[in-house]
Amino acid sequence: MSAAVAERSRIWACPELGLHAVVDAAGSVSLGRPDQDRACLVPLVEVTATGHGRLWSGERFIETAVGERLTYRGHETVHEDGRERTVIRLTDPVTGLAADVTLEAGAGEARTGAGFLRTWVRLTNEGDTPVRLESVTTLTLGGITDADGSLDGLSLHWADNDWLAECRWRQSAFRDQVVPLSRAAHGHEGRGCFERYSQGSWSTGRHLPLAALTDRDGGAWVWQIESSAGWRFETGEREGAAYVALFGPDDAHHQWHQRLAPGEEFTTVPAVLVRAEGGGLDAAFGALTDHRRRIRRGHPDHRALPVIYNDYMNTLMGDPTTEKLLPLIDAAAEAGAEVFVIDAGWYDDDAQGWWDSVGAWEAAPNRFPGGIREVLDAIRRHGMVPGLWLEPEVVGVRSPLARTLPPEAFFRRGGVRVTEHGRHHLDLRHPAARAHLDEVVDRLVGEWGVGYLKLDYNINSGPGTENGHESPGAGLLGHHRAHLDWMGSLLDRHPGLVLENCGSGGLRMDYAQLAVAQLQSTSDQQDFLRYPPIAAAAHTAVTPEQSAVWAYPQPHFSLDEIGFTLTGALLGRIHLSGFLDLMSAEQFALVRSAISVYRRIRPEIGGAHPLWPLALPDWEDPWITHGLRTRNGTLLTVWRRESPAGGPEPLPGRRHADGFDPAVHTVPLPHLRGSHFDPVVLYPTVSDCATEWDTDRGVLTVRLPRPNTAVLLRLGAVGSE
């Protein structure tokens, strides 16, 4: 053991992650693994403040002057709500900043073989002069290496996100992104890092707020930032090891700064770090799934998982009327739907269109001659819960509310009201904005009997709002915290209400929102052949029981196409759509069969853990798999798509079976090796799928004779895992 290690005192430990918080002889606290020299670690909190920048200038937001000065002054451990929390207290003698770092550790279920650490930081100005914050870490960790102590075996994983193209995971060797620069020759690390960050008010409009490092032995570190406003992470090299630093908003990327007068405080957004010693990303995402279930608000919907019909996607597309809805309601109920959602357009009576006139959320008389309650009553008579689409945070520029609400109730920058795509943005910190939305929801839910609200969000309002002297990024964070509080208050007043989080599909897919909302829209993707990579990867971002996937069978679809679009939704939450009322008896029977299968398996979904036997999918992959490990075995979805651009399917490669038969694929399932069972096709029953299970090798062979087909399989039996 080196002298540097021997001089440190351990003040906290997390056995599940193998992490310790230690204090060195100078009082500096860092988080790392045992027996690591401090040189490769990072101060527990890094802060940039105006007048107090970094010790080594560049793109990195570590090695800060304040972080270097923060010293230990105590810690305590408390038990609250069945959780153990440790608060480590630090202080900076120059600025007077005090940092309280909360560490909340836990273990995933036994079969995930991983643990997690959730942290946040509260800064208080205990000095006598104001401090202008520009960035604050929520979590830092150094000393990450491969088993041999080098960086050569590490891989970096991150997810790009876009409208219609959500959850696109990328993988790269760490050394391809962070190249060795010969520190010995220069005396310094590089000035750069690998970073990803949000831009504007779509928290996941560019990337997901999570990423991972994996090693050659199956170890994985996965992190998640829980912010609906700005966020950023960076990873790079420090003294021959990798480090990770997680942030909420900062000045350089989000126009965020926070002035702390003496006595004032600021709390960062939370973040979580997951460690799996083996099992790779599957094990780490399993533990992250457990964490997400642990932090979210409890709700009966997480257990019931009702089937939802929504009239929008590839169906009414924002043009609902009584005449169009009533036959869809009849057909949805007969198919087995339990919730019926009237999506966008129910308020539209404007000759110029509804996009820039929304805000009052009154039913359109011309669309519902007998009143919208006639339609809502029809939904209830069929035993379904009525739902409505709502975009609460916006007011159209032509809406009367744009003139009657006070100017301070809207986002403003430079004293000018923000306008984006024909809309203004409400600031839910203002009592008039909140009172308006409370009146709307209490009318829809309390008077009309609506039990489901799809809360959409279709503009990126930019960096935020300036309320007085605050920065835009601080205004955005303040609004989003008020927005989450408002959502929670709705559920307090209406405990049975279900809230769906939608941001033009999956553009606000974060666990600040999802700790409150019951469901997450995964995409607006209308091409059923493009949906599989989104549906397969969605459980990296969302728990299965919150992950809503569109299934929009149509009368002009073949039976294979109907089976394809329905299969993709069966391991999450079904958002059924399509003109079911116009289908043939054979087509409709295939829809009913899917809903019947879903009802049988849904009790298993809420406690399941995701897995990806062929790794996370690429956008153009012809073969894609995604599964759930449940208490009754493994549920596995397999898609076979035509090759890109309709050309011949590629020869077998990384994700193809040995041999040259494009209809056959092998799927490794090592967790089932040694288990004896016969694979069962759950859906579609008309599938020509053939399977063969190799018990000794733990390999499943799947044959799908036609492209653009999919199948849901059950593997194993109770107790086999």
Side-chain angles (χ1 to χ4, degrees):
M1 182 182 294
S2 70
V5 171
E7 292 173 359
R8 302 203 309 259
S9 299
R10 189 180 75 179
I11 57 175
W12 174 87
C14 177
E16 293 85 2
L17 277 77
L19 292 180
H20 296 232
V22 293
V23 185
D24 67 14
S28 180
V29 180
S30 54
L31 188 67
R33 311 198 78 179
D35 301 326
Q36 289 177 322
D37 287 333
R38 182 182 181 276
C40 70
L41 302 181
V42 186
L44 187 61
V45 180
E46 296 275 24
V47 178
T48 59
T50 307
H52 305 270
R54 289 162 288 183
L55 302 177
W56 179 240
S57 190
E59 301 300 314
R60 293 149 49 122
F61 282 68
I62 63 167
E63 299 178 304
T64 63
V66 174
E68 188 74 10
R69 296 195 302 257
L70 283 169
T71 54
Y72 173 74
R73 70 174 184 180
H75 73 281
E76 65 177 357
T77 298
V78 298
H79 294 83
E80 183 180 357
D81 300 327
R83 304 176 188 181
E84 182 178 284
R85 290 174 178 164
T86 296
V87 178
I88 299 175
R89 295 189 167 88
L90 311 171
T91 186
D92 172 22
V94 176
T95 62
L97 283 175
D100 287 356
V101 185
T102 299
L103 307 175
E104 185 178 280
E109 291 189 7
R111 68 183 178 192
T112 67
F116 52 81
L117 170 66
R118 190 176 191 235
T119 74
W120 60 92
V121 177
R122 184 181 67 189
L123 290 179
T124 304
N125 185 355
E126 296 181 351
D128 53 12
T129 59
V131 178
R132 186 178 182 271
L133 304 173
E134 296 181 355
S135 72
V136 186
T137 56
T138 288
L139 186 150
T140 60
L141 176 68
I144 302 173
T145 65
D146 200 4
D148 64 1
S150 76
L151 295 175
D152 297 336
L154 290 185
S155 294
L156 179 62
H157 309 258
W158 71 97
D160 295 338
N161 214 58
D162 197 359
W163 185 55
L164 312 180
E166 290 84 353
C167 302
R168 298 185 336 273
W169 281 86
R170 303 283 185 256
Q171 177 177 344
S172 173
F174 183 81
R175 275 304 189 199
D176 287 346
Q177 303 294 328
V178 181
V179 299
L181 297 175
S182 183
R183 175 185 170 88
H186 304 283
H188 285 287
E189 305 290 359
R191 300 184 186 273
C193 59
F194 180 90
E195 65 176 359
R196 289 293 183 266
Y197 52 89
S198 65
Q199 184 179 56
S201 59
W202 274 329
S203 59
T204 57
R206 307 176 74 202
H207 310 285
L208 294 182
L210 60 155
L213 287 170
T214 58
D215 61 36
R216 284 177 288 205
D217 293 335
W221 296 96
V222 173
W223 55 89
Q224 168 182 282
I225 305 171
E226 295 161 6
S227 174
S228 292
W231 60 266
R232 175 179 173 272
F233 68 78
E234 67 176 73
T235 182
E237 182 174 2
R238 181 180 171 95
E239 294 283 358
Y243 76 89
V244 173
L246 310 182
F247 302 79
D250 65 57
D251 192 29
H253 301 87
H254 309 99
Q255 298 184 35
W256 177 90
H257 60 260
Q258 185 84 32
R259 183 181 183 273
L260 289 189
E264 291 184 337
E265 63 182 43
F266 168 74
T267 301
T268 67
V269 302
V272 65
L273 180 73
V274 170
R275 171 63 175 170
E277 288 289 350
L281 289 178
D282 284 2
F285 279 121
L288 185 58
T289 299
D290 291 335
H291 163 75
R292 290 164 172 167
R293 289 170 175 152
R294 186 181 183 187
I295 64 169
R296 71 189 179 195
R297 180 186 179 113
H299 196 284
D301 182 77
H302 296 148
R303 298 182 297 276
L305 311 191
V307 176
I308 301 153
Y309 182 95
N310 183 300
D311 70 22
Y312 186 83
M313 191 60 69
N314 293 349
T315 309
L316 299 188
M317 298 297 290
D319 188 27
T321 65
T322 299
E323 181 181 11
K324 294 177 181 178
L325 285 167
L326 291 180
L328 290 177
I329 292 169
D330 293 341
E334 187 179 354
E338 295 151 304
V339 177
F340 190 102
V341 179
I342 304 172
D343 207 282
W346 59 269
Y347 39 78
D348 177 25
D349 246 354
D350 195 308
Q352 299 181 53
W354 59 265
W355 182 264
D356 59 359
S357 64
V358 296
W361 309 111
E362 298 280 358
N366 290 335
R367 291 185 172 276
F368 309 102
I372 195 170
R373 295 201 196 190
E374 175 189 5
V375 179
L376 300 177
D377 288 343
I379 295 170
R380 277 188 287 269
R381 280 198 304 272
H382 282 82
M384 297 185 292
V385 174
L388 287 176
W389 179 95
L390 196 65
E391 194 168 359
E393 293 166 81
V394 301
V395 170
V397 297
R398 294 193 298 111
S399 170
L401 285 159
R403 298 180 293 277
T404 58
L405 288 174
E408 297 80 10
F410 296 93
F411 275 28
R412 295 173 297 160
R413 293 197 288 272
V416 178
R417 187 182 299 185
V418 172
T419 302
E420 176 69 12
H421 198 181
R423 274 100 176 272
H424 303 307
H425 197 299
L426 291 172
D427 187 338
L428 285 182
R429 296 173 296 178
H430 195 280
R434 183 154 177 166
H436 156 62
L437 290 184
D438 281 342
E439 183 278 327
V440 169
V441 173
D442 289 346
R443 170 167 43 87
L444 303 184
V445 178
E447 297 179 23
W448 295 7
V450 170
Y452 184 108
L453 290 176
K454 176 177 179 176
L455 302 182
D456 210 343
Y457 186 70
N458 287 303
I459 63 169
N460 188 331
S461 65
T465 180
E466 299 165 340
N467 184 13
H469 296 291
E470 75 179 352
S471 66
L476 182 63
L477 180 58
H479 160 75
H480 276 305
R481 284 174 164 168
H483 177 231
L484 297 174
D485 182 74
W486 172 73
M487 291 170 62
S489 74
L490 299 183
L491 296 170
D492 289 339
R493 295 200 304 278
H494 308 287
L497 178 65
V498 174
L499 300 179
E500 176 191 338
N501 181 46
C502 181
S504 272
L507 300 188
R508 199 158 70 173
M509 190 159 40
D510 62 75
Y511 260 85
Q513 295 284 123
L514 287 168
V516 183
Q518 284 67 63
L519 287 91
Q520 171 66 51
S521 171
T522 55
S523 187
D524 282 350
Q525 177 56 252
Q526 293 176 250
D527 183 345
F528 70 96
L529 294 177
R530 288 292 185 190
Y531 217 131
I534 301 171
H539 294 175
T540 62
V542 188
T543 65
E545 63 272 23
Q546 292 178 280
S547 176
V549 174
W550 287 102
Y552 30 66
Q554 299 294 355
H556 64 274
F557 279 15
S558 69
L559 295 182
D560 277 350
E561 291 170 333
I562 290 174
F564 191 98
T565 187
L566 286 162
T567 301
L570 295 179
L571 294 188
R573 298 298 297 276
I574 297 178
H575 268 185
L576 185 64
S577 197
F579 291 103
L580 307 183
D581 56 314
L582 302 179
M583 286 185 166
S584 69
E586 187 178 24
Q587 291 174 317
F588 194 77
L590 195 55
V591 176
R592 282 178 56 89
S593 173
I595 303 306
S596 177
V597 167
Y598 182 75
R599 285 179 158 180
R600 292 203 309 270
I601 67 173
R602 65 183 172 186
E604 304 173 51
I605 293 175
H609 296 100
L611 73 156
W612 297 270
L614 299 180
L616 291 167
D618 290 334
W619 186 245
E620 300 288 0
D621 276 353
W623 286 87
I624 295 173
T625 61
H626 164 243
L628 293 179
R629 294 182 65 180
T630 83
R631 62 178 180 271
N632 292 336
T634 295
L635 298 169
L636 183 70
T637 303
V638 182
W639 292 268
R640 178 192 170 196
R641 301 189 296 172
E642 284 190 284
S643 60
E649 297 215 20
L651 295 179
R654 181 168 61 95
R655 296 187 180 153
H656 292 79
D658 294 334
F660 293 88
D661 187 347
V664 177
H665 203 79
T666 54
V667 181
L669 295 162
H671 70 284
L672 291 174
R673 185 181 296 120
S675 299
H676 296 273
F677 58 86
D678 292 321
V680 177
V681 175
L682 295 181
Y683 185 81
T685 54
V686 296
S687 172
D688 292 333
C689 173
T691 61
E692 181 181 339
W693 171 242
D694 187 325
T695 300
D696 294 334
R697 295 170 57 215
V699 172
L700 176 72
T701 301
V702 180
R703 178 179 177 83
L704 290 173
R706 297 180 302 282
N708 298 334
T709 55
V711 66
L712 175 64
L713 303 170
R714 181 181 289 283
L715 311 172
V718 176
S720 66
E721 297 186 59

